[in-house]
Amino acid sequence: TLCVGDDCDEVEPYVLMYNSHDGTSAVEFMPTSIRVVCNNTLTYSRKNAKGHFKFRHTTNMRDNISGGLKAMQAGLQHVELWTKDMSELAKIDVDSPWLTSFYESAYHRFVRNEPDQFNTKAWDNWAKKRSDTIGVWDETFQREVDEEGCNPTRWVAANAVTNWMDHTKPVRMTSRGLHANVDEAKQWDRLFGTSATRKEQVFELASASNN
């Protein structure tokens, strides 16, 4: 168990293996974790391929196992470094104006941008969905502060958004990996697909100095 911040927000590190079992997609390994407070899956940045490893189902697949083990070790080391960075994020307290700005920016960037035309039915629908979603984020944030005793920090705010992405955000069926059903598509998306990328970007947004 790793601790984020002075109040030791617990993070359990794992290495996740994904395999289609029918040879239609690559075997993938990646560092991930479970944040104990809200039980959401955190995925770590794959931009520099630290710990993220994959290989196709081929005749030399056995030869790739050694490389996979090394990648997993690198991934766990990267988790420890990432935890130190997130501990810095957990030292920055937030107020209501910052939270409002952060939520609105996160919704625009990672959920849905506003329609082109103002005062239309499409705009009203968008505004209601944005208000409802941000309400869920803020409710999660306040619950962790009031009930779980977490400090009101940028770390907790970012987790409120990523928790929604893991457990509430709708995900459409995709043909990638030939997913058998919607649940399988959701799991793939949240660990390897668009939602995984968005979660990385949420923490980048929370870390940005202009927020």
Side-chain angles (χ1 to χ4, degrees):
T1 301
L2 301 174
C3 292
V4 172
D6 294 335
D7 58 347
C8 191
D9 198 348
E10 294 184 2
V11 173
E12 297 282 0
Y14 297 93
V15 173
L16 175 95
M17 174 186 170
Y18 177 88
N19 182 22
S20 66
H21 296 292
D22 61 2
T24 56
S25 66
V27 179
E28 296 191 54
F29 297 88
M30 65 174 292
T32 186
S33 74
I34 300 297
R35 178 171 176 263
V36 177
V37 170
C38 60
N39 199 35
N40 65 318
T41 302
L42 303 176
T43 51
Y44 300 107
S45 176
R46 294 161 294 166
K47 293 179 180 178
N48 298 319
K50 293 181 179 179
H52 186 225
F53 182 82
K54 63 181 179 181
F55 50 84
R56 305 294 302 183
H57 290 261
T58 59
T59 55
N60 65 340
M61 183 175 174
R62 186 180 297 275
D63 296 335
N64 290 320
I65 293 178
S66 176
L69 291 174
K70 292 180 180 179
M72 284 189 279
Q73 292 174 346
L76 292 175
Q77 292 175 352
H78 181 52
V79 168
E80 294 182 1
L81 294 175
W82 181 90
T83 303
K84 292 180 181 179
D85 291 339
M86 292 302 102
S87 290
E88 293 300 315
L89 201 64
K91 293 179 181 178
I92 307 175
D93 289 339
V94 300
D95 54 19
S96 293
W98 186 92
L99 276 175
T100 298
S101 176
F102 172 70
Y103 290 151
E104 291 181 350
S105 295
Y107 192 88
H108 281 251
R109 296 188 191 188
F110 312 131
V111 183
R112 186 182 176 189
N113 212 337
E114 69 270 18
D116 293 333
Q117 295 184 348
F118 184 65
N119 283 337
T120 62
K121 185 176 181 179
W123 178 280
D124 292 342
N125 290 337
W126 171 84
K128 184 180 186 307
K129 288 182 179 179
R130 182 185 70 163
S131 177
D132 291 345
T133 301
I134 289 178
V136 172
W137 295 347
D138 194 55
E139 182 179 322
T140 301
F141 176 87
Q142 296 300 334
R143 182 174 62 250
E144 294 198 12
V145 172
D146 296 337
E147 298 180 11
E148 301 293 343
C150 295
N151 293 325
T153 64
R154 294 191 182 191
W155 160 254
V156 176
N159 274 282
V161 177
T162 58
N163 183 67
W164 175 85
M165 290 180 171
D166 272 330
H167 300 291
T168 308
K169 176 180 176 288
V171 177
R172 296 179 181 177
M173 277 292 289
T174 174
S175 60
R176 182 168 182 178
L178 300 177
H179 301 297
N181 51 55
V182 174
D183 287 339
E184 185 177 310
K186 287 180 179 180
Q187 290 299 324
W188 187 93
D189 178 71
R190 289 161 181 168
L191 293 168
F192 298 101
T194 301
S195 290
T197 301
R198 292 289 184 264
K199 286 186 289 183
E200 296 167 13
Q201 294 169 341
V202 166
F203 286 99
E204 292 175 357
L205 177 63
S207 301
S209 58
N210 61 345
N211 278 290

